[in-house]
Amino acid sequence: MDQIDRRILQALQHDGKLQNNELAQRVGLSASPCLRRVKQLEDDGVIEKYVALIDPAKVNLGLTVFARIWLKEQSAYTVNHFVESIKDLPEVVECQLMAGDCDFFLRIVVSDLEAYRQFQIQRLNKITGIQNVKTEIPLQKVKLTTELPIY
C-alpha cells in the first residue's frame, strides 16, 4: 500500500459517498486508476464495507453504556457460549475479549437508563456463565470517531 492508497482510504473514511471522479481529483489520479485502486482495496479486504453512520439520539437510542463482564470460568465452552449469545443481542454494538481484569468489555446502546436496566435483567444476566456485570455510564462523549489514523 502506497501513499495514494492511504489518501484514498483517508478520503473514503471521511466521506464514503464520494463519487469516483471527486475521489480521484482529491488524491491526484485520473478516474480509471482511482477506481482500480479502490476495487483492489476492496478485494484485498482493506475496505470491508460502506455504511451510513446514524445519530443514535435521532432514532431514540440516546444512551450508551459500557459493561465489564466476568465469566464464572474461562473454559472454551463458557467463552464460546457467551460470544454466541452476545451476537444475538442488537443492543450490544461492540464486544471485546479482554486481557486483564475483566473477561469481556461491551458497548451497549439503548434509549434510556430504564431500557438498559430491563436489557440487563431480561437478556444480559440470563446468559449462562456470567459471574458479574459492572456497568459504566459515561457522563460526556469527548471523542468518537470511525476514522483510523492512516498516514
Side-chain angles (χ1 to χ4, degrees):
M1 186 169 9
D2 63 13
Q3 196 56 36
I4 292 174
D5 289 334
R6 286 179 173 77
R7 288 197 309 259
I8 289 171
L9 294 173
Q10 288 171 335
L12 288 175
Q13 282 190 114
H14 186 71
D15 182 358
K17 286 182 71 174
L18 276 177
Q19 297 295 319
N20 184 59
N21 288 339
E22 187 175 344
L23 177 61
Q25 183 180 12
R26 286 190 189 185
V27 301
L29 288 176
S30 59
S32 292
C34 183
L35 188 59
R36 279 194 297 275
R37 281 179 178 257
V38 170
K39 176 80 169 102
Q40 189 63 53
L41 290 165
E42 292 169 348
D43 291 346
D44 291 345
V46 176
I47 297 173
E48 292 181 3
K49 62 183 173 180
Y50 298 90
V51 299
L53 299 177
I54 299 168
D55 181 341
K58 292 187 177 171
V59 291
N60 195 30
L61 294 171
L63 180 66
T64 296
V65 299
F66 300 94
R68 293 180 291 146
I69 308 293
W70 286 264
L71 300 178
K72 292 178 181 174
E73 61 182 14
Q74 284 72 39
S75 69
Y77 173 80
T78 302
V79 170
N80 291 337
H81 174 72
F82 178 81
V83 167
E84 291 307 311
S85 298
I86 286 299
K87 289 178 181 178
D88 293 333
L89 302 176
E91 296 89 348
V92 177
V93 296
E94 185 174 357
C95 175
Q96 301 285 338
L97 174 63
M98 303 298 289
D101 186 38
C102 65
D103 296 310
F104 288 91
F105 189 79
L106 310 179
R107 183 164 59 104
I108 301 163
V109 179
V110 291
S111 59
D112 56 29
L113 199 52
E114 177 60 21
Y116 175 70
R117 189 177 82 78
Q118 292 301 318
F119 167 78
Q120 183 177 349
I121 292 168
Q122 295 174 4
R123 306 205 49 209
L124 187 59
N125 288 347
K126 292 193 176 179
I127 298 173
T128 305
I130 292 180
Q131 177 181 334
N132 198 6
V133 176
K134 296 281 186 184
T135 303
E136 309 288 343
I137 300 174
L139 297 177
Q140 178 183 4
K141 186 187 312 175
V142 175
K143 180 179 180 180
L144 175 64
T145 183
T146 60
E147 295 180 36
L148 298 175
I150 299 172
Y151 305 112

